[in-house]
Amino acid sequence: MDADVKSVTRKTFTIREAVVEDSAVIAGFIRELAIYEKAEHEVEATPETVAASLFGPLSVTRGLICEHEGRAVGFAVWFFSYSTWLAKNGLYLEDLYVTPDYRGSGAGKVLLKRLAKIAVDNGCGRFEWSVLDWNTTAIKVYDAIGAEPQNEWIRYRMSGETLKAFAED
C-alpha cells in the first residue's frame, strides 16, 4: 500500500450518492469485486446495464460513491428491505467495495457509517449484508464495528435457467 494512502483519514473521504454518470466506474468496481471474490466469470454487468438497472425508472436500488481528492475509491449498492417481525423497513447492503490501495484507510468504514445513518434517518429497524465466509479481513471489520453474524440463517439463491424453469412449471 502506498504510504500516502495509509495516512488518509476518514475526514478526507467524500461520500456522495451515485448518479448515472458513475455507471462505468460502478461497472468497473463490480468487475474488480468479482475478481477479488473469485467469481469474475459470473459478471454480466456493463456500464449500460448498470445505468439501466441502478438508475432506470423501475430501480429500487441506490448507490454511494466514496471519493478521495476527487477520485472514486469505492462504492456501495443498497436497497430498502422489509422486516415483517419488526413491521419496519431495513437497509440491505448488496455490495461494498474499496480499491486495494485504499483498503485499511477507513474508506469502507466511512461507507458503512453513511449507510447506517441512512438507515437510522429512514426509521429502519435493521442494517444487513452478507459476507463470504473466507473473507476474514471484512469479517474482522464487521466484528469490530459491532455487527453480529446471523449464523442460524442459510441464504438460498435461484438464478439463471433454474429460475426460469421453476417460474414456468
Side-chain angles (χ1 to χ4, degrees), residues 4-157:
D4 292 336
V5 174
K6 284 184 181 178
S7 67
V8 172
T9 63
R10 288 187 345 178
K11 295 176 185 168
T12 65
F13 291 109
T14 301
I15 307 296
R16 62 173 175 79
E17 290 212 24
V19 294
V20 70
E21 290 80 12
D22 295 313
S23 297
V25 169
I26 293 169
F29 283 156
I30 291 168
R31 183 154 307 278
E32 289 177 27
L33 175 60
I35 291 168
Y36 176 75
E37 292 184 350
K38 302 169 181 68
E40 183 180 15
H41 62 283
E42 295 180 33
V43 175
E44 297 180 14
T46 65
E48 295 77 21
T49 60
V50 168
S53 62
L54 190 58
F55 303 105
L58 299 178
S59 178
V60 296
T61 54
R62 298 182 186 174
L64 296 175
I65 299 291
C66 178
E67 295 178 328
H68 177 249
E69 297 179 353
R71 176 180 169 225
V73 300
F75 86 115
V77 172
W78 63 275
F79 56 88
F80 287 116
S81 58
Y82 186 75
S83 168
T84 54
W85 289 10
L86 297 177
K88 290 184 174 185
N89 282 337
L91 189 148
Y92 189 84
L93 171 60
E94 177 62 26
D95 276 323
L96 184 146
Y97 176 77
V98 174
T99 59
D101 287 348
Y102 282 84
R103 291 184 192 145
S105 68
K109 189 173 180 181
V110 172
L111 278 163
L112 288 167
K113 281 186 163 287
R114 174 62 65 87
L115 291 162
K117 181 164 178 28
I118 292 168
V120 169
D121 289 351
N122 284 276
C124 294
R126 295 180 176 156
F127 173 23
E128 298 179 303
W129 60 91
S130 298
V131 62
L132 291 167
D133 60 3
W134 57 261
N135 192 345
T136 55
T137 303
I139 291 168
K140 285 178 187 176
V141 170
Y142 302 150
D143 288 343
I145 65 170
E148 299 173 357
Q150 301 297 296
N151 297 326
E152 68 274 18
W153 294 96
I154 298 173
R155 186 172 180 174
Y156 279 85
R157 176 181 296 161

